[in-house]
Amino acid sequence: MAAETGTPTTLTLKSNDDELFSVAESAAILSVTIRNMVEDGCAGGVIPLDNVDGKTLASVITYMNGISAIPADEEKKKSYRDKFLSDKDFETLADMVLAANYLNMSCLMDAVSAKIAQVMEKKSVGWVRRKFGIENDYTPEEEAAVKEEHKWTFEGVETDDDN
Amino acid sequence: MDRISELPQEISQRILYFLSQEDAVRTSVLSKLWRNIWCTRPNLDFSDNNFKGKKHEFISLVNNTLQRYRDQKLCIEEFGLYVSLDDSDRKSILLLEKWIRTLKSMGMHPKEVRLQKVYIEDENFRIIIASCPSVETLFVRSCEGLRNIDANNLVHLKEFCFSPYKMPSAEEELCSIEINPPSLKSIEITYGNLRFERGVDFCNLSELHLTRAELSWDNLSSCKFPSLERLIIVGRLRSKEINLFVDAPKIANFAYSGDFIPSISFATTTSRELISVIGLTMHPNGAPSSWLHKLKELLDSLSQSKVSLCISISREYQMNEDIIQENINLIQENCCDKYFVVERLSLSCHLSSYSSLLNGVFSIFRPRKISLFGLNWKTVWKILMQRESGEQGDQCRKFWERDLEEVSMEIIEKNREGWHSINLSELLNHREIGSSIRFTLKWSNGAISSLSFR
């Protein structure tokens, strides 16, 4: 844990492409994964994060610093998260949600998941497939059967040519 | 494979967690991989508003899904259900009980129970409540069949709301309601009979809303409301009398409306300014002959408050000048030369009654603004300005006309925001129907008592 010297402890994080990042321990322990390492005394040297690349880690650290600078005010934290995620494309969001899952950061995980879910809201199956490039591997008969099973979910969906 | 399908299942389930039930289920059509991801998402959220099929299909969908979660020992973090059950769904209420028991066996404890337009009898309701000991919000709106609600054991209940399906007839007994006061933050009761002990401490209650409710006002007067900020009372014709003392040092808003004048007073408030809104509707058989006198008493007991007052006299009730005079005499007996200030006064009555009504109200208070319903402004203008037109004032006018220094008019128009002033000739040429008119009255300083707030 932080030494009682009054100066904030800094941790060094290493991405899987060998980039090094310095971050205040108080911000980094938003990640339960990192917090456990710190508590186990494994944080003396460099903390390797094997599942996160440098670009994503830089972004996650920006988030860690931003959110930990906000005092306990859920409204303000929420608006920071909304703003932080507003300009991210889906590829970036996918990287972030994987990193958040690996780092065990539930607030970031929830925020990114909600952001991705928002894209799918009330959209037709065809639209979601095209948006995310999902390949339809059902045969027409299989697809019709699945649709029939859940036909109540197809009302009120935004219309689409191949809905 | 595409990025979103590559995500580990725990992440795709978290994404589905944020979707509505139908959006989540529809992902099963995306591809074979997505076929069953929705089946194990950690929350269920059903609403028959979004369900276009038949009611029984919806009920069995909920039933089967819940059954499956239980059989597969899946975890549920959140369960939401919105379903309307009317008289024809009496059997379904039994299912509701069963579902709540199932959820309980899975370790879920409902925090919110909202029943709306449900036919439910006491016994079924009792079982449902007994299965939700940690419920914090209990709404029973427009429900039929209930005679007795006993929520005494809900020690975590914060919000409680009750209203019956239809307005009960005059003889009908109201649903009796027992609640546990200490945990409650907000109570809203319409046509219910609220029962509680004398001298109870409603220590967390911040809002109390009683619409045509029955209760012992005497008991209520003996209770403590250290957190109460808003008190709203709508009078009930049957009770005809309210004698209430409210011990609520933090009270900020008080509203009363009804067809009789209550007697309500507040213990000294500590800090904030109290805003009161009083609405009175007078019927020929409802208004006692000494209503002005009672109104004065009410205003006196609200002397630490800013008051807006709305008086509406039913058209059939053409007030007799004698009654008003009798009232005024009563008041003049304990005459004071300082008058209570009412911030806003709204008036509505038969055209022939305005003169006596204004004489009456000016004998007990002085309004800063008068708004009028309908096209009656000309009548009121004439009454207020009689002296300028040189007409002889009547007996009652002398009490107020010497204090009235200035009258100006304001209007709200369709395409302009807020009130703005207008003069008489403009107003006479004004053709727009439905504009609101109000008068701003300036009284000589010596005659009004200004409010002082600590």
Side-chain angles (χ1 to χ4, degrees):
Chain A
M1 292 300 288
E4 303 291 325
T5 56
T7 48
T9 312
T10 304
L11 303 179
T12 306
L13 309 181
K14 190 174 87 170
S15 67
N16 62 4
D17 46 3
D18 294 333
E19 257 189 272
L20 295 178
F21 296 88
S22 290
V23 56
E25 183 187 292
S26 58
I29 57 171
L30 276 175
S31 152
V32 177
T33 309
I34 294 176
R35 196 176 67 206
N36 288 343
M37 288 184 190
V38 171
E39 281 169 4
D40 293 347
C42 316
V46 171
I47 300 179
L49 300 171
D50 297 337
N51 287 359
V52 189
D53 64 37
K55 178 170 161 271
T56 308
L57 189 55
S59 199
V60 170
I61 288 170
T62 308
Y63 172 80
M64 283 172 163
N65 288 332
I67 205 86
S68 62
I70 299 168
D73 179 338
E74 232 355 271
E75 287 284 294
K76 280 184 187 152
K77 290 194 187 226
K78 189 187 174 309
S79 72
Y80 174 81
R81 278 194 281 267
D82 289 348
K83 192 160 172 283
F84 176 73
L85 294 176
S86 63
D87 58 345
K88 305 279 187 286
D89 60 16
F90 174 66
E91 285 299 315
T92 313
L93 291 176
D95 290 334
M96 301 251 314
V97 78
L98 282 165
N101 190 38
Y102 169 71
L103 292 169
N104 199 348
M105 291 172 70
S106 59
C107 64
L108 183 58
M109 171 101 178
D110 277 353
V112 180
S113 301
K115 175 98 181 163
I116 298 174
Q118 213 176 39
V119 177
M120 303 165 83
E121 234 166 59
K122 289 194 164 54
K123 293 294 192 297
S124 71
V125 171
W127 191 93
V128 175
R129 278 190 195 130
R130 278 196 302 280
K131 176 82 188 172
F132 294 104
I134 300 171
E135 193 196 331
N136 176 13
D137 54 359
Y138 284 121
T139 65
E141 294 75 29
E142 284 169 340
E143 183 174 341
V146 181
K147 272 190 179 177
E148 179 58 27
E149 194 182 330
H150 304 303
K151 65 169 186 286
W152 69 276
T153 66
F154 286 87
E155 299 277 351
V157 173
E158 284 177 19
T159 49
D160 191 283
D161 42 1
D162 63 353
N163 173 21
Chain B
M1 212 197 300
D2 64 276
R3 283 301 305 270
I4 196 164
S5 302
E6 267 176 356
L7 294 173
Q9 188 142 328
E10 65 214 81
I11 296 180
S12 30
Q13 272 178 358
R14 189 48 53 179
I15 294 171
L16 296 192
Y17 169 90
F18 291 100
L19 287 175
S20 69
Q21 190 72 18
E22 55 273 21
D23 281 345
V25 175
R26 210 171 46 249
T27 60
S28 60
V29 188
L30 288 171
S31 72
K32 284 182 182 167
L33 187 132
W34 284 87
R35 169 92 204 236
N36 291 320
I37 294 179
W38 71 274
C39 294
T40 50
R41 73 173 186 145
N43 57 327
L44 292 171
D45 168 23
F46 297 99
S47 166
D48 65 348
N49 272 341
N50 305 336
F51 191 83
K52 299 299 189 299
K54 297 207 171 65
K55 179 67 67 64
H56 71 88
E57 290 171 349
F58 177 76
I59 301 276
S60 59
L61 175 77
V62 177
N63 198 41
N64 296 342
T65 311
L66 200 54
Q67 201 77 35
R68 184 172 58 74
Y69 268 71
R70 198 189 59 177
D71 294 346
Q72 300 180 6
K73 295 197 164 49
L74 298 169
C75 142
I76 303 184
E77 287 172 26
E78 275 176 40
F79 180 81
L81 171 66
Y82 293 86
V83 56
S84 61
L85 301 170
D86 58 28
D87 205 7
S88 61
D89 304 310
R90 291 194 191 193
K91 273 193 203 136
S92 307
I93 203 77
L94 301 175
L95 275 174
L96 194 60
E97 279 175 42
K98 187 186 126 189
W99 295 338
I100 291 179
R101 280 200 306 273
T102 305
L103 287 167
K104 203 183 167 193
S105 73
M106 296 168 73
M108 289 281 295
H109 299 286
K111 289 263 184 278
E112 279 187 37
V113 173
R114 293 172 195 257
L115 299 174
Q116 187 154 353
K117 291 190 187 163
V118 175
Y119 185 93
I120 183 165
E121 287 178 354
D122 288 352
E123 182 57 13
N124 297 331
F125 186 77
R126 201 186 54 73
I127 295 173
I128 288 177
I129 290 225
S131 322
C132 316
S134 51
V135 73
E136 290 178 4
T137 301
L138 177 61
F139 280 25
V140 184
R141 280 210 176 110
S142 307
C143 291
E144 235 180 325
L146 280 171
R147 316 212 128 272
N148 188 6
I149 291 179
D150 181 356
N152 261 320
N153 294 329
L154 303 179
V155 293
H156 301 286
L157 193 62
K158 289 187 177 139
E159 275 183 287
F160 176 76
C161 170
F162 171 85
S163 68
Y165 180 65
K166 55 179 192 291
M167 204 173 100
S169 64
E171 311 79 47
E172 215 172 313
E173 217 171 289
L174 302 182
C175 177
S176 126
I177 297 164
E178 287 173 59
I179 44 162
N180 171 56
S183 61
L184 280 157
K185 285 191 166 167
S186 131
I187 301 176
E188 196 182 323
I189 289 172
T190 306
Y191 285 115
N193 186 348
L194 183 61
R195 294 166 186 270
F196 50 89
E197 303 281 313
R198 278 186 67 84
V200 169
D201 189 353
F202 285 83
C203 47
N204 287 304
L205 195 69
S206 73
E207 184 156 346
L208 179 60
H209 199 142
L210 300 166
T211 302
R212 303 194 167 87
E214 262 173 26
L215 64 148
S216 155
W217 299 104
D218 197 36
N219 276 9
L220 198 66
S221 301
S222 71
C223 294
K224 286 193 164 35
F225 300 92
S227 313
L228 192 69
E229 291 177 15
R230 285 164 66 81
L231 174 63
I232 300 172
I233 296 174
V234 179
R236 177 161 156 84
L237 198 61
R238 203 200 279 181
S239 58
K240 265 293 173 237
E241 203 174 272
I242 294 179
N243 275 306
L244 177 63
F245 167 79
V246 190
D247 184 0
K250 285 190 182 161
I251 191 85
N253 286 290
F254 165 63
Y256 168 83
S257 97
D259 48 16
F260 60 95
I261 299 168
S263 162
I264 294 176
S265 58
F266 290 89
T268 319
T269 62
T270 46
S271 52
R272 271 184 290 182
E273 189 171 278
L274 173 60
I275 312 262
S276 302
V277 180
I278 313 286
L280 301 170
T281 312
M282 299 296 180
H283 301 290
N285 51 0
S289 57
S290 61
W291 67 270
L292 273 179
H293 192 68
K294 289 203 79 172
L295 180 59
K296 183 174 188 308
E297 283 176 356
L298 176 64
L299 293 176
D300 283 346
S301 64
L302 292 175
S303 61
Q304 48 184 338
S305 172
K306 280 198 168 177
V307 177
S308 292
L309 181 63
C310 176
I311 302 176
S312 159
I313 312 267
S314 111
R315 304 268 147 169
E316 304 88 62
Y317 181 28
Q318 293 189 24
M319 261 181 314
N320 189 325
E321 192 80 26
D322 295 343
I323 297 177
I324 294 285
Q325 187 56 54
E326 184 190 318
N327 264 303
I328 295 175
N329 290 342
L330 253 166
I331 290 155
Q332 296 302 329
E333 279 165 23
N334 355 312
C335 176
C336 63
D337 47 9
K338 295 274 189 191
Y339 289 91
F340 187 82
V341 177
V342 163
E343 295 299 316
R344 284 185 190 77
L345 172 67
S346 301
L347 288 177
S348 160
C349 66
H350 192 277
L351 275 184
S352 65
S353 300
Y354 273 112
S355 173
S356 24
L357 182 60
L358 284 172
N359 284 334
V361 297
F362 289 165
S363 70
I364 53 175
F365 63 83
R366 298 287 150 90
R368 285 193 210 274
K369 311 262 187 210
I370 302 181
S371 339
L372 296 155
F373 300 118
L375 298 165
N376 303 334
W377 69 268
K378 258 190 238 175
T379 311
V380 174
W381 173 259
K382 275 190 200 142
I383 296 167
L384 292 174
M385 303 311 284
Q386 225 165 40
R387 115 191 90 173
E388 285 187 5
S389 59
E391 281 175 43
Q392 199 71 49
D394 60 58
Q395 177 67 16
C396 302
R397 287 181 62 87
K398 68 175 194 303
F399 291 119
W400 57 266
E401 70 176 354
R402 56 166 195 249
D403 296 334
L404 183 59
E405 289 185 339
E406 203 182 305
V407 180
S408 55
M409 286 185 287
E410 288 170 299
I411 189 167
I412 280 192
E413 286 169 302
K414 250 186 233 152
N415 301 321
R416 288 174 68 178
E417 242 178 70
W419 293 96
H420 53 97
S421 55
I422 184 165
N423 65 34
L424 186 62
S425 58
E426 283 167 348
L427 198 53
L428 287 169
N429 292 325
H430 203 275
R431 296 188 158 270
E432 203 175 297
I433 299 171
S435 312
S436 301
I437 310 281
R438 75 176 183 191
F439 298 98
T440 299
L441 279 61
K442 191 161 179 281
W443 300 95
S444 59
N445 278 334
I448 59 173
S449 60
S450 49
L451 293 164
S452 62
F453 292 105
R454 275 159 301 145

